[in-house]
């Protein structure tokens, strides 16, 4: 029963995160700037998480030495969100979100470069497949909004998110309760966007009721709920299975782009998406794959000796 619950939570996490384009693109069509959308998204997400912590009677207190790392994490999160949304101006939403999902590849590279954690042959194979997948997505697409510049923007978004994950894993903040960590990341991210819109004077009022609904849904579903269900999924089935289920994120985004917004979808893009999903799955399941192959080799060798 716990495994079934974990699988459901993992699916909800992936599907809700993949809903970002569904709520973002209508706001952009109403003329809202990316800075305004992101500011409202994290403001409403902060309020929602604060209410949840209050309901669960979780303490808000943090240590002063946590502040620099929280600001750094918020900066990474801001860069990731800003570049992902910016990428929607240059390519289809489904493809942009799929490229963003290459962040496990960047996590592997950062761990190798910064912490000398060597990658296995499975990991390097996954990286090659991911690069090939990006190339298939970049070349020969029929969507006129697609561009190499857009690919670079969204890959920077993935790099920012990878830096966020790596910093959390390698810092003392990994012991902080996840809801509290997410709350303060959202707080400082909101403040960063508030500073940005105050300087650029790009903050816009919410144009209508439907836009307000989209902003609330953007803050609650792919921001707050996806974080909560992620914690529940990890608790029930562990991080590996939860990450594998994360492959449903780009699948959801592609379906939304194709069926809701009528974006072009070619067989080359399908092949690229497939290669990226295979690459990410190889990275996540690298150790089980190696252990299985080692066991098979041990079983075969005595028969031939």
């Amino acid at each position: 029963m716990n495994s079934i619950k974990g699988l459901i939570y993992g699916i909800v996490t992936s599907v809700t995160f993949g809903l970002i384009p569904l709520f973002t693109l209508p706001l952009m069509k109403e003329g809202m700037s990316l800075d305004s959308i992101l500011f409202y998204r994290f403001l409403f997400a902060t309020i929602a998480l604060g209410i949840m912590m209050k309901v669960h009677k979780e303490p808000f207190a943090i240590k002063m030495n946590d502040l620099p790392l929280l600001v750094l994490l918020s900066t990474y999160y801001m860069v990731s969100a800003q570049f992902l949304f910016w990428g929607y101006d240059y390519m289809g939403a489904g493809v942009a979100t799929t490229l963003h999902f290459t962040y496990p590849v960047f996590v592997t590279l950062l761990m190798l470069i910064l912490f000398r954690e060597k990658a296995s042959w499975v990991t390097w194979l996954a990286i090659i497949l991911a690069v090939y997948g990006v190339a298939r997505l970049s070349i020969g697409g029929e969507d006129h909004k697609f561009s190499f510049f857009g690919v670079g923007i969204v890959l920077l978004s993935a790099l920012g998110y990878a830096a966020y994950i790596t910093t959390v894993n390698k810092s003392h903040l990994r012991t902080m309760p996840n809801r509290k960590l997410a709350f303060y990341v959202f707080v400082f991210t909101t403040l960063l966007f508030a500073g940005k819109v105050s300087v650029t004077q790009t903050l816009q009022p919410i144009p209508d009721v439907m836009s307000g609904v989209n902003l609330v849904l953007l803050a609650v579903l792919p921001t707050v709920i996806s974080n909560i269900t992620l914690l529940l999924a990890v608790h029930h089935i562990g991080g590996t299975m939860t990450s594998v289920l994360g492959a449903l994120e780009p699948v959801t985004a592609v379906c939304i782009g194709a069926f809701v917004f009528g974006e072009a979808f070619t067989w080359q893009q399908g092949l690229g998406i497939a290669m990226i999903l295979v690459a990410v799955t190889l990275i996540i399941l690298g150790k089980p794959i190696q252990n299985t192959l080692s066991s098979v080799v041990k079983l075969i060798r005595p028969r031939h000796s």
Side-chain angles (χ1 to χ4, degrees):
M1 182 60 67
N2 284 335
S3 296
I4 293 174
K5 288 181 179 179
L7 290 172
I8 294 173
Y9 288 138
I11 291 171
V12 171
T13 299
S14 304
V15 172
T16 52
F17 189 82
L19 293 176
I20 288 178
L22 181 62
F23 306 121
T24 302
L25 296 182
L27 294 169
M28 295 171 67
K29 289 181 180 178
E30 288 295 328
M32 290 195 70
S33 66
L34 292 177
D35 288 344
S36 296
I37 295 173
L38 289 168
F39 171 75
Y40 287 121
R41 175 193 178 188
F42 290 109
L43 174 63
F44 294 159
T46 300
I47 295 171
L49 258 179
I51 292 173
M52 292 188 65
M53 290 179 64
K54 195 70 176 177
V55 169
H56 288 87
K57 298 181 179 180
E58 298 180 15
F60 288 84
I62 58 173
K63 300 176 181 178
M64 290 300 296
N65 63 348
D66 292 336
L67 289 177
L69 271 178
L70 287 170
V71 173
L72 180 62
L73 288 173
S74 301
T75 302
Y76 289 146
Y77 210 93
M78 176 184 180
V79 168
S80 178
Q82 178 77 62
F83 278 61
L84 175 59
F85 280 33
W86 190 13
Y88 292 157
D89 285 337
Y90 296 92
M91 67 179 69
V95 178
T97 306
T98 301
L99 286 174
H100 175 76
F101 192 68
T102 60
Y103 64 82
V105 177
F106 289 105
V107 170
T108 302
L109 291 175
L110 287 175
M111 297 297 288
L112 174 64
I113 296 171
L114 299 179
F115 302 101
R116 304 301 182 189
E117 293 190 6
K118 295 182 179 180
S120 66
W121 66 267
V122 175
T123 300
W124 287 116
L125 176 60
I127 292 172
I128 293 172
L129 288 174
V131 172
Y132 177 75
V134 171
R136 300 303 296 181
L137 284 172
S138 305
I139 301 173
E142 296 177 3
D143 190 346
H144 297 295
K145 291 182 64 179
F146 198 84
S147 69
F148 284 101
F149 183 66
V151 171
I153 289 174
V154 180
L155 288 180
L156 285 175
S157 167
L159 179 59
Y161 195 59
Y164 172 83
I165 294 174
T166 303
T167 302
V168 170
N169 289 339
K170 289 296 182 179
S171 71
H172 67 273
L173 291 180
R174 65 181 178 271
T175 60
M176 180 181 291
N178 288 283
R179 265 195 291 263
K180 181 188 289 188
L181 176 59
F183 172 77
Y184 280 103
V185 168
F186 290 163
V187 166
F188 289 114
T189 302
T190 303
L191 292 175
L192 288 172
F193 277 112
K196 188 171 186 282
V197 296
S198 65
V199 171
T200 59
Q201 296 184 347
T202 55
L203 182 62
Q204 301 165 300
I206 300 174
D208 51 44
V209 175
M210 193 61 206
S211 296
V213 171
N214 280 325
L215 284 169
V216 171
L217 291 174
L218 178 66
V220 173
L221 290 175
T223 310
V224 174
I225 289 181
S226 61
N227 276 277
I228 295 173
T229 53
L230 176 65
L231 299 176
L232 293 170
V234 171
H235 175 73
H236 287 293
I237 59 175
T240 300
M241 278 297 298
T242 302
S243 299
V244 172
L245 292 174
L248 293 174
E249 295 173 13
V251 173
T252 302
V254 166
C255 291
I256 290 173
F259 296 110
V260 177
F261 299 108
E263 296 175 354
F265 185 83
T266 67
W267 70 269
Q268 292 190 14
Q269 291 175 347
L271 178 60
I273 291 171
M275 291 298 100
I276 290 173
L277 295 182
V278 170
V280 172
T281 303
L282 281 174
I283 287 178
I284 295 170
L285 299 178
K287 289 185 178 179
I289 290 173
Q290 291 182 81
N291 292 336
T292 300
L293 290 177
S294 297
S295 299
V296 171
V297 170
K298 289 179 181 179
L299 289 173
I300 294 175
R301 277 180 177 173
R303 297 178 182 180
H304 293 280
S305 58

